[in-house]
Amino acid sequence: MKVLLIGSGGREHALAFALAKSPLLKKLYATPGNPGIGKLATLVSIKVTDHSTVIGFCKSHQIDFVVVGPEAPLVAGLVDDLTKAGIKAFGPSKFAAQLEGSKGFTKDLCEKYGIPTASYGRFTKEAKALAYVRAQGAPIVVKADGLAAGKGVTVAMTLAEAETAVNEIFAGRFGEGECVIEEFLEGEEASFFCLSDGVHVLPLATAQDHKRVGEGDTGPNTGGMGAYSPAPCMTAALCAVALEKIVKPTVVALAEMGHPYKGVLYAGLILTKQGPKLIEYNARFGDPETQVLMMRLESDLLPLLVASVDGTLDKAKVSWRDETALTVVMCAKGYPGDVTKGSHINGLEQNFGAEVEVFHAGTALDGEFIVANGGRVLNVTALGKSPRDAQIRAYAAVDGIDWPEGFCRRDIGWRAIK
Ligand code: AMP
Ligand code: GLY
């Protein structure tokens, strides 16, 4: 098959790493890709927001299958337009991608289908939102409705913080002012990844992320500073509960709405005393969770993604390595604030060993040099017999990379190791 992969992050490098191993793959293109992906795929420059250009490229290059990595093109309906043009594409439709694109949509769906989640209110008027916050009291969680790159959520421990968060949303900080206000849930967080073909669900694997920039889970939220898989807290029993009570009813709900969900369902869960509850859905693979998932994946990824589009996931099987995979995200100094681009990174060409992969996220080529080109820059990923083993291996590789302008958290995996 000829495949076009859309995206440029560590997630897409990890997907390219898995796709490149497929015996079914004849040719891999990626757009825009990055220098790491460029070693596995032919990089092409396509304006992804212009769907007719993407369709034109697929037709002229006889692309059999498109894999969409990030959420923005899904929410913009790229898969709908490719499908209409007769091109097979992996990922949910625009309607179904609302599971990620609109927190209000997901909360309403959960309520209607009895899916366990935090109780909530949904508001388009500031005064009503403030009245609700005051009536509920703190701690309470305030969320902007649309996509906000992980920055639209305030877990307010005091009423004053909650009020400020509401004020900011209605002042237009995240686009149109609509907000969801939620009950504060207590428990460990874990991510549960499944594939759906609109009818059948194939559970993939679990992972845990590290959202805060600083060691000990301190400082501002980020896109993710590191991850590991599996998540020890997600026992087989809890996975079964999450599958039956959360993911399967969601797939039923979307099918009943006439928009079957095809693609990855990435459920962000909090394991409360009453069992797993949904905090959010993502309509795509996680970043950096995909990096650890793809290290553990034994099966061929490509036919699994095709089965999600074809509706044949009931016949699919997936197997995973038993080891833990752990990834450390190396960032440019300043992240998640402003960063300087262009600093040189050396040492990437060395042999890190069979159980280590360095995935590129925000890198670029400057002549023959690899340079930093974003906030999250490299994902140093290792397999190990235990979380501790994988951690030691990943940091040994981190220490072999010469990049004075970079930094990382030194405690990725602490929860699993504890
Ligand atoms: P989200 O963008 O919805 O994933 O939220 C970002 C982070 O906020 C989550 O990873 C949680 O740590 C936290 N969070 C979100 N919703 C809740 C909730 N209802 N209770 C407690 N923490 C939450
Ligand atoms: N690492 C969090 C995400 O992909 O949304």
Side-chain angles (χ1 to χ4, degrees):
M1 294 177 84
K2 288 189 178 173
V3 177
L4 171 65
L5 172 64
I6 292 177
S8 64
R11 166 184 47 217
E12 287 75 27
H13 189 181
L15 291 173
F17 162 80
L19 291 171
K21 291 193 271 194
S22 174
L24 302 176
L25 185 79
K26 236 173 41 207
K27 172 92 190 159
L28 183 61
Y29 292 95
T31 188
N34 65 38
I37 299 171
K39 301 220 155 156
L40 303 164
T42 301
L43 303 188
V44 287
S45 171
I46 304 173
K47 195 171 172 212
V48 171
T49 49
D50 179 358
H51 297 182
S52 61
T53 309
V54 183
I55 291 166
F57 176 87
C58 291
K59 294 209 160 142
S60 62
H61 290 74
Q62 291 96 42
I63 298 295
D64 302 296
F65 195 57
V66 179
V67 178
V68 182
E71 60 275 22
L74 297 170
V75 171
L78 178 59
V79 169
D80 309 57
D81 289 339
L82 287 167
T83 307
K84 264 185 243 145
I87 299 155
K88 222 180 243 195
F90 173 76
S93 66
K94 178 177 181 154
F95 185 95
Q98 286 184 88
L99 275 183
E100 171 161 3
S102 166
K103 294 190 189 292
F105 173 85
T106 303
K107 296 301 286 188
D108 290 351
L109 181 151
C110 287
E111 181 165 79
K112 185 161 170 215
Y113 286 83
I115 294 169
T117 186
S119 62
Y120 72 108
R122 201 178 163 180
F123 303 94
T124 50
K125 296 268 179 301
E126 184 169 9
K128 290 208 167 137
L130 287 172
Y132 184 83
V133 160
R134 286 172 193 140
Q136 299 293 319
I140 194 160
V141 182
V142 179
K143 302 185 174 186
D145 189 62
L147 289 180
K151 291 170 189 129
V153 175
T154 303
V155 179
M157 299 318 279
T158 65
L159 194 56
E161 272 176 85
E163 289 174 349
T164 306
V166 171
N167 295 148
E168 283 184 349
I169 289 172
F170 286 99
R173 191 173 155 206
F174 305 102
E176 77 199 276
E178 176 164 353
C179 83
V180 170
I181 300 175
E182 278 186 16
E183 166 198 7
F184 171 76
L185 297 176
E186 252 184 301
E188 195 164 336
E189 278 181 56
S191 306
F192 182 47
F193 293 86
C194 297
L195 279 179
S196 168
D197 64 10
V199 179
H200 315 101
V201 179
L202 179 71
L204 293 178
T206 61
Q208 277 178 305
D209 192 5
H210 300 64
K211 286 204 156 83
R212 304 298 192 100
V213 74
E215 272 140 38
D217 296 333
T218 53
N221 264 334
T222 69
M225 296 297 289
Y228 49 85
S229 171
C233 62
M234 281 296 286
T235 59
L238 285 176
C239 287
V241 173
L243 182 63
E244 296 303 325
K245 299 234 152 108
I246 296 176
V247 178
K248 283 189 180 171
T250 305
V251 170
V252 168
L254 269 297
E256 285 184 7
M257 290 175 190
H259 297 276
Y261 189 95
K262 297 184 173 206
V264 183
L265 261 177
Y266 159 0
L269 306 174
I270 291 195
L271 309 181
T272 72
K273 290 205 180 89
Q274 299 90 45
K277 291 194 179 180
L278 181 75
I279 332 175
E280 62 160 356
Y281 269 127
N282 292 311
R284 36 123 190 128
F285 280 109
D287 190 346
E289 292 86 341
T290 306
Q291 289 79 315
V292 285
L293 258 51
M294 294 305 120
M295 284 297 268
R296 290 188 54 227
L297 181 66
E298 270 175 344
S299 310
D300 185 349
L301 178 66
L302 186 49
L304 293 174
L305 302 187
V306 172
S308 154
V309 183
D310 287 349
T312 53
L313 274 178
D314 53 327
K315 296 180 193 78
K317 285 212 171 52
V318 61
S319 60
W320 302 91
R321 293 177 65 149
D322 290 329
E323 292 105 313
T324 295
L326 182 142
T327 189
V328 176
V329 177
M330 294 182 78
C331 302
K333 281 181 187 162
Y335 178 77
D338 293 338
V339 298
T340 314
K341 293 183 179 177
S343 55
H344 284 205
I345 305 168
N346 293 308
L348 293 176
E349 292 306 323
Q350 67 191 285
N351 181 5
F352 289 102
E355 311 288 57
V356 174
E357 287 296 329
V358 179
F359 295 115
H360 289 226
T363 63
L365 273 176
D366 178 8
E368 69 209 79
F369 296 105
I370 299 284
V371 297
N373 193 41
R376 295 193 295 169
V377 174
L378 295 169
N379 310 139
V380 183
T381 314
L383 282 164
K385 287 193 302 293
S386 63
R388 177 70 184 140
D389 241 45
Q391 187 194 48
I392 290 170
R393 225 176 241 154
Y395 281 111
V398 165
D399 292 334
I401 295 171
D402 173 20
W403 180 31
E405 288 80 8
F407 77 98
C408 65
R409 271 179 66 164
R410 299 294 313 189
D411 65 344
I412 299 304
W414 68 269
R415 209 183 281 278
I417 290 163
K418 193 185 74 182

